[in-house]
Amino acid sequence: MTRHVSNASSPWLDWHGLGGWNIYFLAKFALLWAGYLNFHPLINLVFAAFLIFPLPRAGLRRIRHWLALPVGVGIFYHDTWLPGMESIRAQGAQVFSFTLDYWLELLGRFINWEMVGAGFVMLTLYLFIAQWLRFTPWILLALLWLWLSPLVGDPFASQATRVASTDKGSELAAEPEDKQVSMAEQLDQSAPPTNQNLNAYLDSFYAQERDRVVHFPQQLPADAAPFDVLIINICSLAWSDVTASDLMAHPIGRHLDLMFKHFNSATSYSGPSSIRLLRASCGQTSHQGLYTTAPSQCLLFENLAQLGFEKQVAMDHSGAFGNYLKDLQQYASLDVPLMSKEGMPHDLASFDGEPIYRDDALFARWLSERQKSKAERNVTFFNLIALHDGNRYAATRKIAPYKARLQTLLDQLDQFLTSLEQSGRKVAVILVPEHGAAIAGDKMQMAGLRDIPSPSITQVPVGVALIGAKGGHGATKAIDTPSSFLAISELISRLVGGNTFGSATIDWDGLLKGLPETPAVSENQGSVVLEYQGKYHIKLGEGDWVPYPL
């Protein structure tokens, strides 16, 4: 019900309150306070003004009411962290291939019953208090404050920034001239995180990345022991997922010689992540830059093929969904036929109903074929999707819990690495997840949603095992610097340029010192997340940067 504010003779002065729309704005304020909205104050203020602007005829007010319903829904959607229209258009065709039971599962996740209960309590309180208190003026004042307060800003911010910048400048001036400066330090983060400064930082990051390239040796050392490079690209596995599944202590760790602790996958989708991995010999490009022809020097498999490595590709799926395999062939030059999966068993079916073949069978077939091959050196790209959201048990069509699938995959990887060790082969195994599964979700995205490349999704565990190397391995060595795909390419370049597998000892200092660092910048189509001054910030579309609500 709308309450009159004035009984003036002029119809243009016959004001009405927001009425039921007060509930709409109160709900937004509550969600904003809890950190669940990317609120746009000016748009909401204009909408509120549209709702209360005096109209001389009741018929016009009724038309406004009906027009306001879809507009209000659209603004509410715009204020959420849900995927934008650009992302929906890009992913829309794939969404329709989901099975009905997966759709029902996603719907169940989307409904937050605690929020539904809180909303009912708010509605009851509003209806009760509205008998004595007029809400419209307070709603308008709150919208005005939300709009104006960022424009006023902190009057002490400029002085504080100047002091901080001066102090940092003094510290840098006192450093020795020969100190090695990391990539993260080369990009200036001394300015306050304003919209302009964050845009400039992002531009500077991509400008520096354009000049970075890993140079592989022209030829292999004459006395180098032959070995294989096996890259296992795992879908849906981030540090946050391992922690949530309580599998941090899985015994697979005993095989790993190296572990990247702060590795950024730079995206939260499979295709872009795998393209970045296969183009790892050049610096990080923007999301748009992935879908252009890459120089041959950027192509990791091409770098190795020129040194005599036989190329091979194996997947536990067809690669058809989302044109995954087609995109790798077109934008990463992965021009190798898939290893046959004929006769392999499968226990899982994917979210679109496609069979997912058992990874232990895939590993066993690769090892069997490799033992028979006459090629001295081999580089193989594995892509595994057993952990992808929405996978079902093939026999029952029941949901396959993530933890159970992760346990199985880690067990199979553990068994495979053990088999490699027992086979006597020399293999550099590199485990590189594409992105996380987002099994816990956060304030921006419900569990399983990966439209925004949040740090909990893009920070992935990357491990390296040098199977068959003569030198003693010892405890797993942690790489704590911010890293991404360029570091993998550099590490492989150092392995093929030396004789790690034939030497009596492993020169860990030569392998690891000065590996390329890459600051945390992640991008999907329509969203960018970066780390600046120790905090994460997000930009959606052409909007402004805002702090990421952790």
Side-chain angles (χ1 to χ4, degrees), residues 36-77:
Y36 288 100
L37 285 186
N38 181 26
F39 194 71
H40 299 82
L42 181 58
I43 295 175
N44 283 272
L45 188 59
V46 171
F47 183 53
F50 167 74
L51 292 170
I52 66 172
F53 190 81
L55 295 177
R57 298 179 183 176
L60 293 176
R61 291 194 291 272
R62 282 193 293 271
I63 293 173
R64 176 173 62 185
H65 170 74
W66 291 109
L67 287 175
L69 291 175
V71 173
V73 170
I75 294 176
F76 203 113
Y77 187 89

mmCIF file of all heavy atoms in Angstrom, residues 36-77:
data_model
loop_
_atom_site.group_PDB
_atom_site.id
_atom_site.type_symbol
_atom_site.label_atom_id
_atom_site.label_comp_id
_atom_site.label_asym_id
_atom_site.label_seq_id
_atom_site.Cartn_x
_atom_site.Cartn_y
_atom_site.Cartn_z
ATOM 1 N N TYR A 36 26.947 -9.385 0.129
ATOM 2 C CA TYR A 36 26.475 -10.227 -0.967
ATOM 3 C C TYR A 36 26.090 -9.435 -2.210
ATOM 4 O O TYR A 36 25.581 -10.018 -3.160
ATOM 5 C CB TYR A 36 25.257 -11.048 -0.514
ATOM 6 C CG TYR A 36 25.607 -12.162 0.442
ATOM 7 C CD1 TYR A 36 25.425 -12.015 1.814
ATOM 8 C CD2 TYR A 36 26.133 -13.355 -0.024
ATOM 9 C CE1 TYR A 36 25.747 -13.035 2.693
ATOM 10 C CE2 TYR A 36 26.460 -14.386 0.845
ATOM 11 C CZ TYR A 36 26.263 -14.220 2.202
ATOM 12 O OH TYR A 36 26.599 -15.233 3.061
ATOM 13 N N LEU A 37 26.285 -8.119 -2.209
ATOM 14 C CA LEU A 37 25.890 -7.318 -3.363
ATOM 15 C C LEU A 37 27.035 -6.446 -3.862
ATOM 16 O O LEU A 37 27.868 -5.971 -3.083
ATOM 17 C CB LEU A 37 24.704 -6.400 -3.023
ATOM 18 C CG LEU A 37 23.311 -7.014 -2.902
ATOM 19 C CD1 LEU A 37 22.285 -5.901 -2.716
ATOM 20 C CD2 LEU A 37 22.952 -7.863 -4.096
ATOM 21 N N ASN A 38 27.037 -6.226 -5.156
ATOM 22 C CA ASN A 38 27.907 -5.235 -5.793
ATOM 23 C C ASN A 38 27.031 -4.024 -6.073
ATOM 24 O O ASN A 38 26.671 -3.725 -7.214
ATOM 25 C CB ASN A 38 28.483 -5.816 -7.090
ATOM 26 C CG ASN A 38 29.404 -4.852 -7.794
ATOM 27 O OD1 ASN A 38 30.010 -3.984 -7.169
ATOM 28 N ND2 ASN A 38 29.494 -4.974 -9.112
ATOM 29 N N PHE A 39 26.666 -3.311 -5.005
ATOM 30 C CA PHE A 39 25.613 -2.301 -5.041
ATOM 31 C C PHE A 39 26.015 -1.085 -5.872
ATOM 32 O O PHE A 39 27.151 -0.607 -5.788
ATOM 33 C CB PHE A 39 25.306 -1.865 -3.608
ATOM 34 C CG PHE A 39 24.038 -1.082 -3.448
ATOM 35 C CD1 PHE A 39 22.807 -1.693 -3.584
ATOM 36 C CD2 PHE A 39 24.088 0.268 -3.156
ATOM 37 C CE1 PHE A 39 21.632 -0.970 -3.419
ATOM 38 C CE2 PHE A 39 22.924 1.000 -2.998
ATOM 39 C CZ PHE A 39 21.695 0.375 -3.128
ATOM 40 N N HIS A 40 25.045 -0.577 -6.669
ATOM 41 C CA HIS A 40 25.260 0.615 -7.493
ATOM 42 C C HIS A 40 24.330 1.722 -6.972
ATOM 43 O O HIS A 40 23.145 1.779 -7.342
ATOM 44 C CB HIS A 40 24.957 0.318 -8.958
ATOM 45 C CG HIS A 40 25.836 -0.749 -9.545
ATOM 46 N ND1 HIS A 40 25.578 -2.096 -9.378
ATOM 47 C CD2 HIS A 40 26.971 -0.662 -10.275
ATOM 48 C CE1 HIS A 40 26.512 -2.798 -10.005
ATOM 49 N NE2 HIS A 40 27.374 -1.956 -10.541
ATOM 50 N N PRO A 41 24.823 2.587 -6.090
ATOM 51 C CA PRO A 41 23.944 3.562 -5.406
ATOM 52 C C PRO A 41 23.195 4.497 -6.345
ATOM 53 O O PRO A 41 22.005 4.733 -6.154
ATOM 54 C CB PRO A 41 24.923 4.333 -4.513
ATOM 55 C CG PRO A 41 26.083 3.427 -4.329
ATOM 56 C CD PRO A 41 26.202 2.674 -5.599
ATOM 57 N N LEU A 42 23.869 5.058 -7.352
ATOM 58 C CA LEU A 42 23.211 6.043 -8.204
ATOM 59 C C LEU A 42 22.057 5.432 -8.984
ATOM 60 O O LEU A 42 20.976 6.031 -9.084
ATOM 61 C CB LEU A 42 24.228 6.671 -9.161
ATOM 62 C CG LEU A 42 23.658 7.751 -10.104
ATOM 63 C CD1 LEU A 42 23.024 8.883 -9.299
ATOM 64 C CD2 LEU A 42 24.741 8.288 -11.022
ATOM 65 N N ILE A 43 22.268 4.245 -9.538
ATOM 66 C CA ILE A 43 21.181 3.587 -10.282
ATOM 67 C C ILE A 43 19.984 3.344 -9.373
ATOM 68 O O ILE A 43 18.828 3.578 -9.758
ATOM 69 C CB ILE A 43 21.695 2.262 -10.879
ATOM 70 C CG1 ILE A 43 22.778 2.526 -11.912
ATOM 71 C CG2 ILE A 43 20.547 1.468 -11.504
ATOM 72 C CD1 ILE A 43 23.425 1.273 -12.473
ATOM 73 N N ASN A 44 20.242 2.887 -8.153
ATOM 74 C CA ASN A 44 19.152 2.638 -7.217
ATOM 75 C C ASN A 44 18.478 3.932 -6.779
ATOM 76 O O ASN A 44 17.256 3.971 -6.575
ATOM 77 C CB ASN A 44 19.678 1.880 -5.997
ATOM 78 C CG ASN A 44 19.888 0.411 -6.283
ATOM 79 O OD1 ASN A 44 18.980 -0.400 -6.130
ATOM 80 N ND2 ASN A 44 21.096 0.058 -6.708
ATOM 81 N N LEU A 45 19.254 5.007 -6.634
ATOM 82 C CA LEU A 45 18.680 6.300 -6.259
ATOM 83 C C LEU A 45 17.780 6.823 -7.377
ATOM 84 O O LEU A 45 16.682 7.342 -7.114
ATOM 85 C CB LEU A 45 19.802 7.284 -5.952
ATOM 86 C CG LEU A 45 19.403 8.635 -5.361
ATOM 87 C CD1 LEU A 45 18.660 8.451 -4.043
ATOM 88 C CD2 LEU A 45 20.647 9.494 -5.147
ATOM 89 N N VAL A 46 18.217 6.697 -8.612
ATOM 90 C CA VAL A 46 17.388 7.114 -9.750
ATOM 91 C C VAL A 46 16.110 6.285 -9.809
ATOM 92 O O VAL A 46 15.017 6.805 -10.071
ATOM 93 C CB VAL A 46 18.187 6.982 -11.070
ATOM 94 C CG1 VAL A 46 17.274 7.198 -12.274
ATOM 95 C CG2 VAL A 46 19.341 7.974 -11.097
ATOM 96 N N PHE A 47 16.237 4.982 -9.553
ATOM 97 C CA PHE A 47 15.055 4.114 -9.554
ATOM 98 C C PHE A 47 14.070 4.539 -8.461
ATOM 99 O O PHE A 47 12.849 4.594 -8.691
ATOM 100 C CB PHE A 47 15.494 2.668 -9.363
ATOM 101 C CG PHE A 47 14.367 1.673 -9.412
ATOM 102 C CD1 PHE A 47 13.480 1.649 -10.482
ATOM 103 C CD2 PHE A 47 14.192 0.752 -8.390
ATOM 104 C CE1 PHE A 47 12.441 0.721 -10.533
ATOM 105 C CE2 PHE A 47 13.167 -0.173 -8.436
ATOM 106 C CZ PHE A 47 12.286 -0.192 -9.506
ATOM 107 N N ALA A 48 14.586 4.856 -7.262
ATOM 108 C CA ALA A 48 13.718 5.312 -6.174
ATOM 109 C C ALA A 48 13.030 6.623 -6.546
ATOM 110 O O ALA A 48 11.833 6.824 -6.265
ATOM 111 C CB ALA A 48 14.528 5.467 -4.893
ATOM 112 N N ALA A 49 13.769 7.550 -7.183
ATOM 113 C CA ALA A 49 13.171 8.819 -7.610
ATOM 114 C C ALA A 49 12.073 8.571 -8.648
ATOM 115 O O ALA A 49 11.023 9.234 -8.634
ATOM 116 C CB ALA A 49 14.256 9.726 -8.182
ATOM 117 N N PHE A 50 12.314 7.609 -9.542
ATOM 118 C CA PHE A 50 11.292 7.255 -10.531
ATOM 119 C C PHE A 50 10.029 6.732 -9.847
ATOM 120 O O PHE A 50 8.903 7.039 -10.267
ATOM 121 C CB PHE A 50 11.876 6.197 -11.475
ATOM 122 C CG PHE A 50 10.859 5.514 -12.341
ATOM 123 C CD1 PHE A 50 10.287 6.159 -13.422
ATOM 124 C CD2 PHE A 50 10.471 4.207 -12.072
ATOM 125 C CE1 PHE A 50 9.342 5.531 -14.224
ATOM 126 C CE2 PHE A 50 9.535 3.554 -12.859
ATOM 127 C CZ PHE A 50 8.975 4.224 -13.944
ATOM 128 N N LEU A 51 10.198 5.988 -8.761
ATOM 129 C CA LEU A 51 9.044 5.395 -8.078
ATOM 130 C C LEU A 51 8.210 6.417 -7.321
ATOM 131 O O LEU A 51 6.989 6.248 -7.174
ATOM 132 C CB LEU A 51 9.523 4.309 -7.108
ATOM 133 C CG LEU A 51 10.119 3.045 -7.737
ATOM 134 C CD1 LEU A 51 10.756 2.176 -6.675
ATOM 135 C CD2 LEU A 51 9.043 2.254 -8.481
ATOM 136 N N ILE A 52 8.831 7.501 -6.804
ATOM 137 C CA ILE A 52 8.085 8.451 -5.977
ATOM 138 C C ILE A 52 7.755 9.741 -6.714
ATOM 139 O O ILE A 52 7.015 10.586 -6.182
ATOM 140 C CB ILE A 52 8.857 8.796 -4.690
ATOM 141 C CG1 ILE A 52 10.132 9.563 -5.008
ATOM 142 C CG2 ILE A 52 9.135 7.545 -3.877
ATOM 143 C CD1 ILE A 52 10.838 10.110 -3.770
ATOM 144 N N PHE A 53 8.280 9.913 -7.933
ATOM 145 C CA PHE A 53 8.007 11.158 -8.650
ATOM 146 C C PHE A 53 6.495 11.317 -8.837
ATOM 147 O O PHE A 53 5.818 10.383 -9.291
ATOM 148 C CB PHE A 53 8.686 11.139 -10.015
ATOM 149 C CG PHE A 53 8.666 12.460 -10.721
ATOM 150 C CD1 PHE A 53 9.590 13.448 -10.421
ATOM 151 C CD2 PHE A 53 7.687 12.737 -11.680
ATOM 152 C CE1 PHE A 53 9.569 14.669 -11.065
ATOM 153 C CE2 PHE A 53 7.660 13.954 -12.320
ATOM 154 C CZ PHE A 53 8.606 14.943 -12.017
ATOM 155 N N PRO A 54 5.923 12.491 -8.500
ATOM 156 C CA PRO A 54 4.467 12.656 -8.545
ATOM 157 C C PRO A 54 3.935 12.638 -9.979
ATOM 158 O O PRO A 54 4.458 13.318 -10.858
ATOM 159 C CB PRO A 54 4.242 14.021 -7.892
ATOM 160 C CG PRO A 54 5.529 14.751 -8.069
ATOM 161 C CD PRO A 54 6.599 13.709 -8.011
ATOM 162 N N LEU A 55 2.933 11.842 -10.195
ATOM 163 C CA LEU A 55 2.247 11.776 -11.484
ATOM 164 C C LEU A 55 0.799 12.199 -11.300
ATOM 165 O O LEU A 55 0.147 11.834 -10.307
ATOM 166 C CB LEU A 55 2.315 10.355 -12.056
ATOM 167 C CG LEU A 55 3.719 9.842 -12.424
ATOM 168 C CD1 LEU A 55 3.653 8.408 -12.906
ATOM 169 C CD2 LEU A 55 4.360 10.727 -13.490
ATOM 170 N N PRO A 56 0.249 12.987 -12.237
ATOM 171 C CA PRO A 56 -1.062 13.600 -12.026
ATOM 172 C C PRO A 56 -2.239 12.643 -12.132
ATOM 173 O O PRO A 56 -3.329 12.966 -11.672
ATOM 174 C CB PRO A 56 -1.126 14.662 -13.139
ATOM 175 C CG PRO A 56 -0.227 14.129 -14.215
ATOM 176 C CD PRO A 56 0.879 13.417 -13.495
ATOM 177 N N ARG A 57 -2.056 11.461 -12.735
ATOM 178 C CA ARG A 57 -3.198 10.573 -12.958
ATOM 179 C C ARG A 57 -2.933 9.193 -12.375
ATOM 180 O O ARG A 57 -1.828 8.676 -12.424
ATOM 181 C CB ARG A 57 -3.491 10.444 -14.454
ATOM 182 C CG ARG A 57 -3.876 11.763 -15.112
ATOM 183 C CD ARG A 57 -4.137 11.558 -16.588
ATOM 184 N NE ARG A 57 -4.442 12.810 -17.270
ATOM 185 C CZ ARG A 57 -4.631 12.921 -18.585
ATOM 186 N NH1 ARG A 57 -4.532 11.840 -19.353
ATOM 187 N NH2 ARG A 57 -4.919 14.099 -19.113
ATOM 188 N N ALA A 58 -3.997 8.600 -11.871
ATOM 189 C CA ALA A 58 -3.886 7.262 -11.295
ATOM 190 C C ALA A 58 -3.491 6.242 -12.356
ATOM 191 O O ALA A 58 -2.755 5.295 -12.079
ATOM 192 C CB ALA A 58 -5.205 6.865 -10.638
ATOM 193 N N GLY A 59 -3.951 6.443 -13.596
ATOM 194 C CA GLY A 59 -3.618 5.516 -14.674
ATOM 195 C C GLY A 59 -2.136 5.506 -14.960
ATOM 196 O O GLY A 59 -1.522 4.443 -15.197
ATOM 197 N N LEU A 60 -1.503 6.674 -14.924
ATOM 198 C CA LEU A 60 -0.053 6.754 -15.144
ATOM 199 C C LEU A 60 0.711 6.073 -14.017
ATOM 200 O O LEU A 60 1.740 5.438 -14.241
ATOM 201 C CB LEU A 60 0.373 8.217 -15.261
ATOM 202 C CG LEU A 60 -0.126 8.973 -16.498
ATOM 203 C CD1 LEU A 60 0.295 10.437 -16.422
ATOM 204 C CD2 LEU A 60 0.428 8.332 -17.768
ATOM 205 N N ARG A 61 0.168 6.217 -12.800
ATOM 206 C CA ARG A 61 0.835 5.569 -11.670
ATOM 207 C C ARG A 61 0.745 4.045 -11.779
ATOM 208 O O ARG A 61 1.685 3.335 -11.411
ATOM 209 C CB ARG A 61 0.237 6.056 -10.347
ATOM 210 C CG ARG A 61 0.554 7.527 -10.041
ATOM 211 C CD ARG A 61 0.246 7.877 -8.598
ATOM 212 N NE ARG A 61 -1.175 7.872 -8.310
ATOM 213 C CZ ARG A 61 -1.979 8.914 -8.470
ATOM 214 N NH1 ARG A 61 -1.483 10.066 -8.930
ATOM 215 N NH2 ARG A 61 -3.254 8.837 -8.182
ATOM 216 N N ARG A 62 -0.375 3.544 -12.299
ATOM 217 C CA ARG A 62 -0.504 2.095 -12.484
ATOM 218 C C ARG A 62 0.462 1.590 -13.558
ATOM 219 O O ARG A 62 1.079 0.531 -13.408
ATOM 220 C CB ARG A 62 -1.947 1.730 -12.857
ATOM 221 C CG ARG A 62 -2.900 1.724 -11.677
ATOM 222 C CD ARG A 62 -4.204 1.055 -12.034
ATOM 223 N NE ARG A 62 -4.952 1.827 -13.030
ATOM 224 C CZ ARG A 62 -5.822 2.771 -12.738
ATOM 225 N NH1 ARG A 62 -6.073 3.092 -11.464
ATOM 226 N NH2 ARG A 62 -6.471 3.423 -13.690
ATOM 227 N N ILE A 63 0.584 2.366 -14.642
ATOM 228 C CA ILE A 63 1.549 1.985 -15.696
ATOM 229 C C ILE A 63 2.965 1.975 -15.134
ATOM 230 O O ILE A 63 3.758 1.065 -15.414
ATOM 231 C CB ILE A 63 1.440 2.952 -16.890
ATOM 232 C CG1 ILE A 63 0.082 2.794 -17.581
ATOM 233 C CG2 ILE A 63 2.581 2.714 -17.879
ATOM 234 C CD1 ILE A 63 -0.177 3.813 -18.665
ATOM 235 N N ARG A 64 3.292 2.994 -14.326
ATOM 236 C CA ARG A 64 4.622 3.043 -13.713
ATOM 237 C C ARG A 64 4.855 1.829 -12.829
ATOM 238 O O ARG A 64 5.953 1.255 -12.815
ATOM 239 C CB ARG A 64 4.772 4.318 -12.885
ATOM 240 C CG ARG A 64 6.099 4.382 -12.131
ATOM 241 C CD ARG A 64 6.317 5.705 -11.449
ATOM 242 N NE ARG A 64 5.305 5.973 -10.433
ATOM 243 C CZ ARG A 64 5.222 7.116 -9.748
ATOM 244 N NH1 ARG A 64 6.089 8.089 -9.995
ATOM 245 N NH2 ARG A 64 4.284 7.286 -8.842
ATOM 246 N N HIS A 65 3.842 1.424 -12.127
ATOM 247 C CA HIS A 65 3.979 0.270 -11.244
ATOM 248 C C HIS A 65 4.367 -0.984 -12.034
ATOM 249 O O HIS A 65 5.288 -1.715 -11.640
ATOM 250 C CB HIS A 65 2.667 0.030 -10.499
ATOM 251 C CG HIS A 65 2.629 -1.263 -9.738
ATOM 252 N ND1 HIS A 65 3.316 -1.458 -8.569
ATOM 253 C CD2 HIS A 65 1.990 -2.433 -10.010
ATOM 254 C CE1 HIS A 65 3.119 -2.697 -8.153
ATOM 255 N NE2 HIS A 65 2.300 -3.308 -9.001
ATOM 256 N N TRP A 66 3.701 -1.212 -13.161
ATOM 257 C CA TRP A 66 3.983 -2.414 -13.954
ATOM 258 C C TRP A 66 5.340 -2.311 -14.658
ATOM 259 O O TRP A 66 6.048 -3.313 -14.802
ATOM 260 C CB TRP A 66 2.869 -2.672 -14.958
ATOM 261 C CG TRP A 66 1.590 -3.100 -14.296
ATOM 262 C CD1 TRP A 66 0.438 -2.396 -14.165
ATOM 263 C CD2 TRP A 66 1.372 -4.357 -13.642
ATOM 264 N NE1 TRP A 66 -0.512 -3.103 -13.466
ATOM 265 C CE2 TRP A 66 0.047 -4.329 -13.131
ATOM 266 C CE3 TRP A 66 2.149 -5.487 -13.422
ATOM 267 C CZ2 TRP A 66 -0.509 -5.391 -12.431
ATOM 268 C CZ3 TRP A 66 1.610 -6.547 -12.725
ATOM 269 C CH2 TRP A 66 0.289 -6.501 -12.245
ATOM 270 N N LEU A 67 5.691 -1.101 -15.074
ATOM 271 C CA LEU A 67 7.010 -0.917 -15.677
ATOM 272 C C LEU A 67 8.125 -1.131 -14.658
ATOM 273 O O LEU A 67 9.207 -1.631 -14.995
ATOM 274 C CB LEU A 67 7.132 0.485 -16.277
ATOM 275 C CG LEU A 67 6.363 0.776 -17.566
ATOM 276 C CD1 LEU A 67 6.500 2.244 -17.940
ATOM 277 C CD2 LEU A 67 6.877 -0.110 -18.696
ATOM 278 N N ALA A 68 7.848 -0.747 -13.400
ATOM 279 C CA ALA A 68 8.877 -0.824 -12.368
ATOM 280 C C ALA A 68 9.239 -2.266 -12.015
ATOM 281 O O ALA A 68 10.369 -2.527 -11.590
ATOM 282 C CB ALA A 68 8.417 -0.084 -11.113
ATOM 283 N N LEU A 69 8.311 -3.196 -12.199
ATOM 284 C CA LEU A 69 8.592 -4.579 -11.810
ATOM 285 C C LEU A 69 9.770 -5.185 -12.586
ATOM 286 O O LEU A 69 10.735 -5.654 -11.978
ATOM 287 C CB LEU A 69 7.326 -5.434 -11.973
ATOM 288 C CG LEU A 69 6.190 -5.116 -10.987
ATOM 289 C CD1 LEU A 69 4.948 -5.943 -11.310
ATOM 290 C CD2 LEU A 69 6.645 -5.391 -9.554
ATOM 291 N N PRO A 70 9.745 -5.197 -13.921
ATOM 292 C CA PRO A 70 10.913 -5.751 -14.629
ATOM 293 C C PRO A 70 12.173 -4.906 -14.446
ATOM 294 O O PRO A 70 13.289 -5.440 -14.402
ATOM 295 C CB PRO A 70 10.466 -5.786 -16.088
ATOM 296 C CG PRO A 70 9.371 -4.782 -16.198
ATOM 297 C CD PRO A 70 8.675 -4.814 -14.875
ATOM 298 N N VAL A 71 11.995 -3.574 -14.335
ATOM 299 C CA VAL A 71 13.162 -2.718 -14.124
ATOM 300 C C VAL A 71 13.804 -3.030 -12.775
ATOM 301 O O VAL A 71 15.032 -3.140 -12.657
ATOM 302 C CB VAL A 71 12.759 -1.230 -14.197
ATOM 303 C CG1 VAL A 71 13.943 -0.334 -13.795
ATOM 304 C CG2 VAL A 71 12.298 -0.876 -15.600
ATOM 305 N N GLY A 72 12.975 -3.204 -11.744
ATOM 306 C CA GLY A 72 13.497 -3.529 -10.418
ATOM 307 C C GLY A 72 14.222 -4.865 -10.397
ATOM 308 O O GLY A 72 15.279 -4.999 -9.773
ATOM 309 N N VAL A 73 13.653 -5.850 -11.102
ATOM 310 C CA VAL A 73 14.311 -7.160 -11.182
ATOM 311 C C VAL A 73 15.671 -7.025 -11.885
ATOM 312 O O VAL A 73 16.677 -7.584 -11.451
ATOM 313 C CB VAL A 73 13.416 -8.172 -11.913
ATOM 314 C CG1 VAL A 73 14.191 -9.457 -12.212
ATOM 315 C CG2 VAL A 73 12.179 -8.477 -11.086
ATOM 316 N N GLY A 74 15.690 -6.260 -12.983
ATOM 317 C CA GLY A 74 16.933 -6.065 -13.724
ATOM 318 C C GLY A 74 17.997 -5.368 -12.895
ATOM 319 O O GLY A 74 19.178 -5.759 -12.934
ATOM 320 N N ILE A 75 17.606 -4.337 -12.137
ATOM 321 C CA ILE A 75 18.574 -3.622 -11.297
ATOM 322 C C ILE A 75 19.072 -4.524 -10.179
ATOM 323 O O ILE A 75 20.264 -4.515 -9.846
ATOM 324 C CB ILE A 75 17.937 -2.336 -10.730
ATOM 325 C CG1 ILE A 75 17.643 -1.349 -11.861
ATOM 326 C CG2 ILE A 75 18.855 -1.696 -9.695
ATOM 327 C CD1 ILE A 75 16.930 -0.099 -11.407
ATOM 328 N N PHE A 76 18.165 -5.321 -9.619
ATOM 329 C CA PHE A 76 18.582 -6.247 -8.557
ATOM 330 C C PHE A 76 19.625 -7.222 -9.100
ATOM 331 O O PHE A 76 20.648 -7.485 -8.457
ATOM 332 C CB PHE A 76 17.378 -7.022 -8.024
ATOM 333 C CG PHE A 76 17.566 -7.552 -6.637
ATOM 334 C CD1 PHE A 76 16.826 -7.063 -5.583
ATOM 335 C CD2 PHE A 76 18.503 -8.543 -6.366
ATOM 336 C CE1 PHE A 76 17.009 -7.536 -4.290
ATOM 337 C CE2 PHE A 76 18.705 -9.025 -5.089
ATOM 338 C CZ PHE A 76 17.951 -8.518 -4.043
ATOM 339 N N TYR A 77 19.380 -7.755 -10.293
ATOM 340 C CA TYR A 77 20.338 -8.683 -10.901
ATOM 341 C C TYR A 77 21.674 -7.977 -11.157
ATOM 342 O O TYR A 77 22.743 -8.543 -10.920
ATOM 343 C CB TYR A 77 19.779 -9.233 -12.202
ATOM 344 C CG TYR A 77 20.621 -10.331 -12.813
ATOM 345 C CD1 TYR A 77 20.404 -11.656 -12.476
ATOM 346 C CD2 TYR A 77 21.643 -10.047 -13.714
ATOM 347 C CE1 TYR A 77 21.178 -12.672 -13.013
ATOM 348 C CE2 TYR A 77 22.426 -11.048 -14.249
ATOM 349 C CZ TYR A 77 22.191 -12.362 -13.908
ATOM 350 O OH TYR A 77 22.962 -13.356 -14.443
#
